[in-house]
Amino acid sequence: MGWTTEDMPDQQGRIALVTGANSGLGLETTRALISRGCTVLMACRSARKGEAARSQLLGSGAAGLDLLELDLSDLTSVARCAREVAERYGRLDLLINNAGLMAPPRMLSRQGYELQFAVNHLGHFALTKALLPLMDDRPQARVVTVTSGAQYFGVMAWDDLQGEQRYDRWKAYSQSKLANVMFALELNQRLQASGSAVRSLAAHPGLARTNLQPVSVAATGAWQEALAYRLMDPLFQSAAQGALPQLYAATASEAQGGEHYGPSQLGGLRGAPKQQPVARAAKDQNLRQRLWTVSESLTEHHSAAV
């Protein structure tokens, strides 16, 4: 059977921020956390979609839900969101870096960075750094960064991180997902070295049915991808099942900093959460440090002092 939301420990008195909380994995993560008494800050790009999701959850009897506007493609919005959390709550127990984009045509963020790298990695990097002071003294405080199986195909194009010379939307996606797990591991190492009790973990959902796939197909009109998704449909698990690895990483007492969780069956495509290996490049401390340094230089002018 494996671990399910029924096995989640009590979350009364805890505050979690979930990015991309209005749909897919984020919505299911929010639903599970509030079922255990957690107060969840739903950080969403669209206030309208966020409010619709919040109303749906409140309609099913949930309490402890707040809505925050967060556009991860705009570092000014990231800084504003972090300040709002500090002013409204002054503390944070869980940060789940869940939101993401998958394989759109090449577009740029507000600051001029390639959109997938900006949203999937840089926005979460800046948000995490800004919110960490609020997590410092909280028991069992954790940061969970959601990656994907695409990390195993990812290559950091150090000389062309923004895809200016050559852009392949799937390579850019895989690069951003590799960056997620590199960041999660490097963050945990730095937290431990500084004596912080906050822990950083990574998780991936396997093949989960979310709006990432249809949005990607609609943005590019790629009929081949639409066909591939239809053929693979029997392998897909629900968004609720796909959210289990990140929920396990966020709440299970056995989960430790620096670990990476994904589904346990079919090579990590589906099933109950289990610790999974990370991409080889993510094990290289020199590469992780290089990514950290680059990320700091790309985000430093927009950081939020909380």
Side-chain angles (χ1 to χ4, degrees):
M1 178 67 185
W3 192 90
T4 72
T5 53
E6 297 299 311
D7 300 304
M8 277 176 61
D10 181 50
Q11 298 295 304
Q12 289 284 347
R14 289 170 72 74
I15 299 174
L17 187 149
V18 180
T19 68
N22 59 279
S23 67
L25 302 174
L27 181 61
E28 296 304 332
T29 297
T30 300
R31 193 191 311 278
L33 288 171
I34 57 177
S35 77
R36 284 289 182 269
C38 192
T39 293
V40 178
L41 315 183
M42 302 175 69
C44 307
R45 184 169 58 89
S46 164
R48 180 182 60 79
K49 290 179 181 175
E51 190 49 59
R54 182 173 175 270
S55 299
Q56 175 200 328
L57 292 168
L58 289 172
S60 61
L65 278 174
D66 200 355
L67 194 59
L68 296 167
E69 273 194 69
L70 170 65
D71 182 353
L72 287 159
S73 71
D74 180 358
L75 293 169
T76 305
S77 171
V78 172
R80 191 185 307 121
C81 178
R83 282 195 299 271
E84 209 171 327
V85 176
E87 288 162 10
R88 283 199 213 174
Y89 292 95
R91 62 184 176 88
L92 190 66
D93 299 279
L94 294 175
L95 170 59
I96 303 186
N97 291 324
N98 162 85
L101 280 182
M102 186 173 78
R106 187 172 189 272
M107 294 183 276
L108 300 181
S109 73
R110 180 76 183 272
Q111 281 73 37
Y113 305 135
E114 188 276 314
L115 199 60
Q116 296 186 83
F117 193 69
V119 170
N120 297 353
H121 170 60
L122 289 176
H124 282 127
F125 177 88
L127 181 68
T128 302
K129 286 195 71 186
L131 291 175
L132 278 174
L134 304 181
M135 305 178 76
D136 257 348
D137 302 318
R138 306 299 301 163
Q140 285 291 315
R142 299 183 195 183
V143 178
V144 178
T145 300
V146 181
T147 178
S148 100
Q151 64 174 288
Y152 302 115
F153 308 105
V155 175
M156 300 305 299
W158 297 111
D159 298 326
D160 191 23
L161 284 174
Q162 312 304 333
E164 293 164 301
Q165 299 161 37
R166 191 179 297 110
Y167 181 73
D168 177 297
R169 59 200 182 88
W170 285 107
K171 285 182 180 175
Y173 177 67
S174 298
Q175 172 181 259
S176 72
K177 293 287 103 180
L178 173 58
N180 286 153
V181 76
M182 291 171 76
F183 164 60
L185 299 189
E186 182 63 19
L187 174 62
N188 192 66
Q189 190 159 330
R190 287 171 182 250
L191 288 167
Q192 286 186 309
S194 70
S196 172
V198 182
R199 291 294 171 256
S200 168
L201 302 91
H204 82 83
L207 275 179
R209 210 174 266 106
T210 70
N211 65 354
L212 278 183
Q213 296 93 12
V215 167
S216 171
V217 170
T220 58
W223 65 266
Q224 302 96 326
E225 282 172 34
L227 177 61
Y229 288 135
R230 275 205 295 278
L231 293 172
M232 292 165 63
D233 190 66
L235 291 175
F236 276 80
Q237 57 186 2
S238 67
Q241 187 75 21
L244 290 180
Q246 61 205 63
L247 285 164
Y248 185 90
T251 66
S253 57
E254 313 85 66
Q256 301 297 314
E259 293 179 344
H260 169 243
Y261 290 91
S264 57
Q265 298 167 17
L266 295 178
L269 294 182
R270 56 184 298 141
K274 174 188 172 186
Q275 195 172 344
Q276 296 286 5
V278 295
R280 185 180 298 171
K283 298 176 186 175
D284 187 321
Q285 188 177 359
N286 291 330
L287 293 182
R288 295 200 311 262
Q289 289 177 345
R290 184 176 184 182
L291 176 64
W292 189 282
T293 302
V294 168
S295 303
E296 277 193 325
S297 71
L298 293 174
T299 60
E300 64 187 353
H301 300 304
H302 303 275
S303 60
V306 174

